[in-house]
Amino acid sequence: MASDAWISSSMPYLRPAEGGRGDAWGQEAAARGRRGTQRVLHAGEVSAPAVVARLLGLEDGDTVVVRRRIMYLDEEPCELTDSYYPADIAAGTGLAGTAKIRGGAVALLAELGHVGRQVREDVTARMPDVEERELLRTGAEEPMLCLERVVLDEADRAIQADLITMPAQRQRLRYELRMG
């Protein structure tokens, strides 16, 4: 593993950004003396791909809201993140637009009455497709880590699903679990 690999924990992305300003990615990067930015590639209503329907407990093709972003660390692309929300939660809200969301998407979800209480993540690896290589500026032989995340509220309803693609050699995922 490269010695400059980014060590990431999911926890900052599961609760509103501290102070209600900025976003979790920018705050996490700044805390390490780096600059984390993002660009929204697309936002709006789409038909749920099969994996998203499965994660959100919907039927294939049901309408969902997506925010597709490319994340940058010190101006270098480091992650593709597609966040999906059930349409009955997100349609007509800032989640369906390309503008920055004050405090981040998790803060807006909380304002709308949807607070995450449980998260499930699955991590796999695969080779990138052409679009991923171009957006992340990687070679054809550089594997990707793919993280599927679903956030559930206190009623066990899925309120958010994330599909995240990252160059494996630039990442180290960290999981810390409290026992008991």
Side-chain angles (χ1 to χ4, degrees), residues 17-158:
E18 291 181 25
R21 296 185 319 242
D23 59 46
W25 173 242
Q27 288 181 1
E28 182 182 16
R32 297 178 186 182
R34 312 281 299 269
R35 184 165 184 261
T37 58
Q38 59 182 289
R39 179 169 54 102
V40 178
L41 301 173
H42 172 78
E45 294 184 20
V46 298
S47 293
V51 64
V52 171
R54 175 180 53 80
L55 290 168
L56 292 177
L58 303 172
E59 297 294 322
D60 287 4
D62 278 357
T63 300
V64 294
V65 170
V66 65
R67 285 180 67 84
R68 293 198 142 125
R69 299 172 314 249
I70 184 165
M71 313 304 279
Y72 295 89
L73 183 61
D74 299 331
E75 309 306 321
E76 290 295 319
C78 62
E79 180 177 299
L80 302 175
T81 300
D82 294 350
S83 296
Y84 294 86
Y85 309 90
D88 64 328
I89 290 176
T93 72
L95 296 168
T98 58
K100 285 191 173 196
I101 298 172
R102 182 175 170 80
V106 174
L108 179 54
L109 282 171
E111 287 175 23
L112 296 170
H114 303 282
V115 177
R117 297 288 182 224
Q118 181 181 355
V119 65
R120 285 193 306 258
E121 294 184 347
D122 288 298
V123 180
T124 58
R126 63 171 170 75
M127 299 309 288
D129 63 29
V130 173
E131 182 183 30
E132 291 165 340
R133 287 194 310 265
E134 289 173 4
L135 289 172
L136 293 169
R137 300 182 200 152
T138 65
E141 300 302 316
E142 291 183 58
M144 297 287 148
L145 291 177
C146 301
L147 187 144
E148 289 180 7
R149 173 188 302 140
V150 62
V151 179
L152 307 163
D153 66 12
E154 61 189 20
D156 287 332
R157 179 184 182 198

Side-chain angles (χ1 to χ4, degrees), residues 4-9 28 32 170-174:
D4 62 347
W6 182 257
I7 299 173
S8 181
S9 169
E28 182 182 16
R32 297 178 186 182
R170 297 183 209 164
Q171 290 287 336
R172 177 177 169 190
L173 303 178
R174 172 171 288 160

